[in-house]
Amino acid sequence: MKVFDFPLVKITLSFILGLLVCYFWQPSILAEIISVIIAVVFISVLYFISKNKRQNLLFGISAYYLSFCIGMTTLLINTDSLNQSNYINYDQAFKVPHSITFTLREKIKSNDYNDRYVALINTINEKKYSGRIIINIQKDSLRNPLVIGNTIKTKTILQHNGFPKNPNQFDYGRYLENKQIYAQVYASKSDISVNRKIKKDIWFYASRLNTRIVYNLEKANFNKAEMNVAMALILGQQQEISADIIQDYQYSGATHVLSVSGLHVGFIMLFILFVLKPIPNTQKGSFIKLVCILISLGLFAIVSGLSPPVLRSVVMFSFIAIGNHLHRSTNTYHTLLVSVLLILLFEPYFLFDVGFQLSYIALFSIVWLQPLLKNIYSPKNKILNYLWEALTVSFAAQIGTFPICLYYFHQFPGLFFVTNILILPVLSFIMIAGIIVMVISVFHSCPLFIVQIFEKSIYLLNLIIHYVASFDSFVIRNISFNSYYLLTFYLVTITAIIWFKKPGFGKLFTFLISIILLQISFLYTKKETESQHEFIVFNASKKTMITKKTGKDVLLFTNDSLLKKGEKNNITDAYLVGNFARLKDVTTIKNTFFFNGKKILLIDSTGVYENKIQPDIIILTQSPKINLDRVLHQLKPKTVIADATNSYSIQKHWKTSCLTKNIPFHAIREKGYYKLN
């Protein structure tokens, strides 16, 4: 049976297409209601009159159109900013401080200065509002008494999410918006009052359970570094893992291990089945097993924080368990698609979560490609067969996720296959031992010898990961990769696998066409890159950074001696990678630039400038002590730019001076980088 013969496949794809169109097009609610009504009327009429094949075809098309409209509607319904009670629609909250109450929902990764939580807003100035927000509470020497479920009141001002202030940077603001978080607040412990009454919902009990596990592990003297990895491996809690350990996992190609996925949930399901083995496989016994599995997986998802990978895995294995109970053979593709549809119906914004995308692409690749790779070689030795299966699974997942990893992360761990072979036996033991330790720790302290075995196994895992990651030269970094490459690479990969599975002239022709499209994407990107000419003043708080790009070549002007010596810099690296460019030279900052017929004058901390020049643009850097009113009168520029090295108080005076003379003023600290094409 072909996968696409299953109607739900096309319905799921239509639904996803509806989500994508709604996300990028953003139609009005009225337009979407009209579309749904038309789709319902159309499918209803065809349902009653369909008699011949042509009408059946129309009925199928109408069903897919309805699915498409439902996808669009689902995204609109789940977009909190469209809800009039959402705080984003109260402009004054972003302008002046207000009395705000909110309930803590989830603890997220802290930074050096603040403990950070996702919270739900309850009221603003005693008026009911809703919406998710991030609250940053300043750290101090005292123990943090806050728990999930606390209702907090404070007087503060809402701050919009930040936007990228340098080109090609990660858009953290968009990332938060996809999680329906539109603002943040900052407060110290002295600024907040905590209600004694705690909201005891499912999130409270999940947090309590998590806290209890951590407390019992700490009581058993579990090493902190290993315990943080254990919490990530078993429960998907990555908040406390150090940056060095995360980097080791990235460089070795084992990041997926820290995200709870199908592998982890599969181990949990096998453990549950092992515990339930004494129950007979009668109709009643099978039903009891099914209920126990579904409840256990649901509890695991809640304790893990309901993250996209956990939900996907739990939903998928729940469908497998139901299929086994009903004694029906389940097609893996269909199970995956049903789990996708079910998850996206309730949480459509998961589609734009990188972890969710990687999880499903990896799973589809393993299911589709691994059998093809496995048949290339059939070792008779059991150990060789185990190694070959591990290799083929790893390669299948890596082939599927290769383009999207390059698109998002611009790097590739060359030793991923070595890592997966080395860690699989250790990881299998860790998962079994970890489940036992976590279950015992829910109720009381785990026996010391079990904790020590578990701790040493994680130490060994970290040691293997660190050893592989130490081969730094095998990590290929700063790979330029755009959306054209992403689409055409996937097209080539899919058509190649289809052709290899069942060779034919039509499939070969499609494969060759996809290669031509890939080459066209290369040529178009090259032409686009070589035609680029731009002048950029970057947002850097301690140094002045200006680039002049001509085609692929970038010339960097800076006053930073380390950059002149070839020191790596994240700001310029992101720009070079994102624009398929190369750094031609790093040179000392100049006081005058010429670009596209425009004269640019830079005034630095010396405050010295040539008053005979009539510049189009003035760049102010390093807080020069000048009378800007006089400068504007003498030089008559068309635009004034103040980079991020200037003090905030001086910029306020400069802004007033420019407004008085109707000259555009661009404060880079506030508005981000300045680009001149």
Side-chain angles (χ1 to χ4, degrees):
M1 180 181 175
K2 294 181 179 180
V3 175
F4 280 94
D5 288 342
F6 191 49
L8 195 59
V9 174
K10 296 171 186 175
I11 288 171
T12 303
L13 293 176
S14 301
F15 180 83
I16 291 173
L17 183 61
L19 295 179
L20 292 169
V21 169
C22 185
Y23 184 78
F24 292 106
W25 177 38
Q26 296 179 342
S28 66
I29 296 174
L30 179 62
E32 184 48 36
I33 291 171
I34 293 170
S35 297
V36 171
I37 292 171
I38 292 170
V40 171
V41 170
F42 190 48
I43 197 171
S44 301
V45 171
L46 287 173
Y47 177 79
F48 289 108
I49 67 171
S50 61
K51 292 179 180 178
N52 55 50
K53 289 184 178 179
R54 184 178 177 184
Q55 289 171 331
N56 285 335
L57 176 64
L58 287 173
F59 180 77
I61 293 170
S62 66
Y64 306 141
Y65 174 64
L66 178 61
S67 177
F68 172 83
C69 292
I70 291 172
M72 294 180 71
T73 307
T74 301
L75 195 77
L76 285 175
I77 291 170
N78 285 274
T79 303
D80 289 353
S81 60
L82 299 177
N83 188 343
Q84 286 304 307
S85 67
N86 191 275
Y87 64 84
I88 194 73
N89 297 308
Y90 182 39
D91 292 339
Q92 290 302 313
F94 293 89
K95 295 176 181 176
V96 293
H98 291 278
S99 178
I100 304 173
T101 62
F102 36 75
T103 303
L104 300 185
R105 164 60 64 85
E106 176 189 357
K107 192 175 190 307
I108 57 177
K109 194 174 182 67
S110 302
N111 56 33
D112 294 337
Y113 309 103
N114 300 299
D115 289 317
R116 305 176 73 235
Y117 299 86
V118 174
L120 300 179
I121 280 191
N122 300 322
T123 63
I124 301 177
N125 287 345
E126 308 303 325
K127 186 178 178 181
K128 283 192 176 181
Y129 280 92
S130 63
R132 292 158 62 88
I133 195 169
I134 288 180
I135 176 168
N136 300 269
I137 299 176
Q138 190 177 8
K139 288 181 177 178
D140 57 26
S141 57
L142 300 176
R143 180 179 168 272
N144 187 352
L146 298 175
V147 297
I148 302 304
N150 274 143
T151 298
I152 294 172
K153 185 176 183 178
T154 185
K155 190 170 185 179
T156 187
I157 186 170
L158 300 185
Q159 297 186 21
H160 286 288
N161 295 329
F163 57 91
K165 292 192 175 180
N166 279 310
N168 306 106
Q169 277 190 335
F170 172 64
D171 193 343
Y172 186 60
R174 174 55 67 92
Y175 168 80
L176 290 179
E177 282 182 16
N178 287 340
K179 294 180 177 293
Q180 308 304 295
I181 298 171
Y182 305 106
Q184 300 191 42
V185 295
Y186 292 83
S188 63
K189 288 179 184 175
S190 59
D191 295 332
I192 64 175
S193 59
V194 183
N195 194 321
R196 290 184 179 180
K197 189 177 180 181
I198 296 175
K199 185 179 179 181
K200 296 184 178 181
D201 55 10
I202 193 169
W203 304 97
F204 166 77
Y205 290 108
S207 176
R208 281 286 296 272
L209 200 59
N210 227 303
T211 305
R212 186 175 178 82
I213 291 170
V214 172
Y215 173 76
N216 284 328
L217 289 177
E218 285 177 341
K219 206 161 72 170
N221 295 318
F222 204 113
N223 184 279
K224 188 71 175 174
E226 275 74 47
M227 185 174 72
N228 291 337
V229 174
M231 295 300 289
L233 287 170
I234 311 300
L235 299 177
Q237 305 292 328
Q238 300 183 32
Q239 295 93 327
E240 304 300 328
I241 301 180
S242 70
D244 291 337
I245 291 177
I246 289 176
Q247 182 176 285
D248 282 346
Y249 276 79
Q250 288 173 342
Y251 286 179
S252 63
T255 314
H256 61 281
V257 172
L258 296 178
S259 299
V260 174
S261 61
L263 175 69
H264 303 70
V265 179
F267 271 116
I268 290 168
M269 187 166 167
L270 288 173
F271 179 77
I272 296 166
L273 287 172
F274 174 77
V275 172
L276 299 175
K277 202 171 183 181
I279 299 175
N281 287 323
T282 60
Q283 188 174 357
K284 187 177 178 181
S286 178
F287 180 74
I288 291 170
K289 286 183 179 180
L290 175 65
V291 172
C292 290
I293 288 170
L294 294 179
I295 291 172
S296 301
L297 292 180
L299 288 172
F300 172 72
I302 292 166
V303 173
S304 301
L306 299 172
S307 65
V310 174
L311 277 175
R312 183 263 307 156
S313 302
V314 165
V315 171
M316 186 185 71
F317 277 97
S318 297
F319 273 99
I320 291 173
I322 292 168
N324 289 337
H325 170 69
L326 298 174
H327 303 290
R328 293 181 181 178
S329 59
T330 54
N331 184 301
T332 312
Y333 296 109
H334 301 161
T335 304
L336 287 172
L337 284 165
V338 168
S339 66
V340 169
L341 184 60
L342 191 62
I343 291 169
L344 294 181
L345 270 170
F346 292 96
E347 292 288 349
Y349 276 94
F350 277 2
L351 181 63
F352 309 101
D353 182 276
V354 178
F356 184 85
Q357 294 169 15
L358 287 170
S359 295
Y360 267 105
I361 290 170
L363 271 174
F364 273 108
S365 300
I366 291 168
V367 172
W368 192 32
L369 186 55
Q370 195 266 343
L372 186 66
L373 296 175
K374 187 181 176 183
N375 290 335
I376 294 172
Y377 173 57
S378 301
K380 294 181 180 178
N381 185 285
K382 286 186 177 180
I383 297 174
L384 283 176
N385 188 57
Y386 164 79
L387 291 174
W388 179 243
E389 282 199 9
L391 262 177
T392 53
V393 168
S394 180
F395 270 106
Q398 207 68 50
I399 289 169
T401 56
F402 176 72
I404 200 167
C405 283
L406 292 187
Y407 179 71
Y408 283 120
F409 309 117
H410 302 286
Q411 67 178 27
F412 180 72
L415 295 178
F416 70 90
F417 58 94
V418 175
T419 304
N420 283 286
I421 289 173
L422 291 176
I423 68 170
L424 198 58
V426 183
L427 188 61
S428 302
F429 177 79
I430 286 173
M431 290 305 300
I432 295 167
I435 292 166
I436 295 169
V437 168
M438 296 298 172
V439 170
I440 295 173
S441 298
V442 168
F443 303 102
H444 52 75
S445 293
C446 192
L448 188 61
F449 77 95
I450 298 178
V451 171
Q452 287 179 339
I453 292 170
F454 186 41
E455 182 187 334
K456 295 301 179 187
S457 61
I458 293 176
Y459 174 77
L460 177 61
L461 176 68
N462 287 343
L463 204 64
I464 294 169
I465 295 291
H466 179 72
Y467 177 72
V468 177
S470 66
F471 293 92
D472 195 64
S473 57
F474 285 93
V475 182
I476 307 168
R477 299 183 187 84
N478 298 332
I479 303 170
S480 296
F481 206 83
N482 60 17
S483 56
Y484 307 134
Y485 288 7
L486 177 68
L487 294 173
T488 51
F489 259 87
Y490 269 121
L491 189 61
V492 168
T493 304
I494 292 167
T495 53
I497 295 170
I498 291 171
W499 177 51
F500 277 120
K501 279 205 163 192
K502 198 172 181 181
F505 177 76
K507 293 173 183 177
L508 175 61
F509 179 76
T510 308
F511 172 56
L512 294 174
I513 291 294
S514 67
I515 291 176
I516 292 170
L517 290 173
L518 178 62
Q519 292 172 328
I520 290 171
S521 73
F522 286 149
L523 293 171
Y524 182 78
T525 300
K526 184 180 179 183
K527 182 183 176 183
E528 196 177 51
T529 302
E530 290 177 350
S531 64
Q532 276 185 344
H533 298 277
E534 56 190 27
F535 181 91
I536 294 180
V537 184
F538 287 86
N539 176 51
S541 59
K542 295 181 180 178
K543 50 186 172 282
T544 302
M545 293 174 59
I546 298 172
T547 59
K548 190 176 181 180
K549 183 175 185 291
T550 307
K552 280 191 172 184
D553 296 328
V554 173
L555 190 60
L556 173 62
F557 301 92
T558 183
N559 57 358
D560 190 326
S561 57
L562 292 175
L563 286 176
K564 292 175 187 175
K565 292 177 182 178
E567 183 81 10
K568 288 288 182 182
N569 182 273
N570 291 334
I571 296 173
T572 51
D573 283 351
Y575 175 67
L576 295 171
V577 171
N579 289 276
F580 293 79
R582 61 187 172 217
L583 190 61
K584 186 180 180 182
D585 195 14
V586 182
T587 187
T588 305
I589 207 89
K590 298 195 303 184
N591 289 105
T592 54
F593 299 91
F594 295 90
F595 184 80
N596 282 359
K598 293 185 178 180
K599 287 183 285 186
I600 303 167
L601 174 67
L602 183 140
I603 303 176
D604 58 20
S605 57
T606 63
V608 177
Y609 61 93
E610 178 61 57
N611 58 14
K612 292 180 182 179
I613 295 177
Q614 295 293 310
D616 297 288
I617 299 170
I618 291 178
I619 300 173
L620 302 171
T621 180
Q622 306 291 330
S623 300
K625 294 178 180 179
I626 57 171
N627 184 326
L628 188 60
D629 289 311
R630 185 187 303 152
V631 172
L632 296 178
H633 178 72
Q634 288 177 340
L635 303 181
K636 295 180 174 56
K638 295 175 183 176
T639 305
V640 175
I641 302 164
D643 76 3
T645 62
N646 298 292
S647 70
Y648 181 74
S649 57
I650 290 176
Q651 287 189 65
K652 286 178 71 176
H653 294 298
W654 290 345
K655 186 176 182 180
T656 304
S657 297
C658 289
L659 284 171
T660 304
K661 297 185 181 296
N662 291 321
I663 296 173
F665 179 75
H666 186 98
I668 284 176
R669 188 193 298 273
E670 179 187 341
K671 298 180 179 179
Y673 67 97
Y674 180 84
K675 181 164 76 170
L676 187 64
N677 290 324

